[in-house]
Amino acid sequence: LEVAVHDRDEIDAVSPSGPDEIELLQEEATALAELVEARDALLAAAGALDADGDEPSAAQLVGGALSALPRTLTAARESLTELMDQVREVRGELLASLQRIEDDPERLAHLDQRVGRLRDLVRKHGGSLSDVLKRREMLDDEVIRLESDDKIALELEGRLAGLHVRLGAEEA
């Protein structure tokens, strides 16, 4: 009984939400990691579009080409002006996207810890989280049965003691 109660309580302490919880948590962790990678790529792209460093940015290159073109090439100047506007617009969109990306190392650590605890349960109690949940139900049934058996055993011991008392009284 004690082992069954311990195992049941151990599963309850982790409280798996369903048979696919590990996969769902791993998907969330992957999505968070991909967002961080995307943020780094967006930062690089925004920097390339309008950088202040040693390398000329796309905006600087287009601006330089625009200033070098003679005014007689109206169509080319208009195209370059539109390109400059697009570069600025894309850079603004990238920066807005960057502001929406949250690096959440605490959430990632929580996900890793939760997956670890669930995997520990799987290693100890079954081949999959679904097996662990089935084992939890089986343990609950077993605990109920064993507790019932204990009650019956106590009742029988009490009746037996009563019979011993009566037998002793009849013999005396």
Side-chain angles (χ1 to χ4, degrees):
L1 175 65
E2 291 171 8
V3 171
V5 169
H6 174 269
D7 286 354
R8 181 191 63 184
D9 291 348
E10 185 175 45
I11 294 170
D12 286 348
V14 176
S15 187
S17 66
D20 57 349
E21 183 178 2
I22 291 174
E23 291 80 12
L24 294 173
L25 294 174
Q26 288 174 322
E27 287 173 11
E28 184 179 348
T30 299
L32 280 173
E34 287 173 351
L35 278 175
V36 171
E37 288 177 22
R39 182 194 59 207
D40 294 343
L42 289 173
L43 275 170
L49 289 175
D50 197 13
D52 293 332
D54 296 335
E55 297 293 318
S57 69
Q60 291 167 336
L61 293 172
V62 173
L66 185 59
S67 66
L69 277 180
R71 300 221 182 266
T72 56
L73 297 174
T74 309
R77 290 182 65 80
E78 287 174 1
S79 293
L80 284 175
T81 301
E82 287 176 18
L83 185 57
M84 273 296 271
D85 291 341
Q86 287 177 343
V87 165
R88 288 186 187 111
E89 182 180 328
V90 168
R91 182 178 183 275
E93 290 171 4
L94 288 174
L95 292 175
S97 295
L98 283 170
Q99 290 175 351
R100 288 190 299 268
I101 295 175
E102 292 183 31
D103 186 5
D104 193 350
E106 289 175 7
R107 178 67 182 157
L108 198 52
H110 168 76
L111 293 172
D112 287 342
Q113 180 185 27
R114 178 78 179 155
V115 167
R117 291 183 72 197
L118 291 167
R119 285 188 174 148
D120 288 345
L121 281 181
V122 168
R123 270 191 296 279
K124 184 170 181 182
H125 298 287
S128 70
L129 203 48
S130 180
D131 294 337
V132 169
L133 292 169
K134 288 176 189 170
R135 176 152 171 74
R136 165 59 182 86
E137 292 301 317
M138 188 237 10
L139 287 167
D140 205 28
D141 293 341
E142 186 176 344
V143 166
I144 290 169
R145 183 185 57 76
L146 291 171
E147 287 174 343
S148 176
D149 289 351
D150 281 351
K151 283 182 185 177
I152 291 170
L154 285 173
E155 287 174 16
L156 290 174
E157 287 173 6
R159 287 173 56 192
L160 183 60
L163 289 173
H164 281 291
V165 168
R166 278 184 36 202
L167 183 61
E170 287 179 9
E171 289 179 353

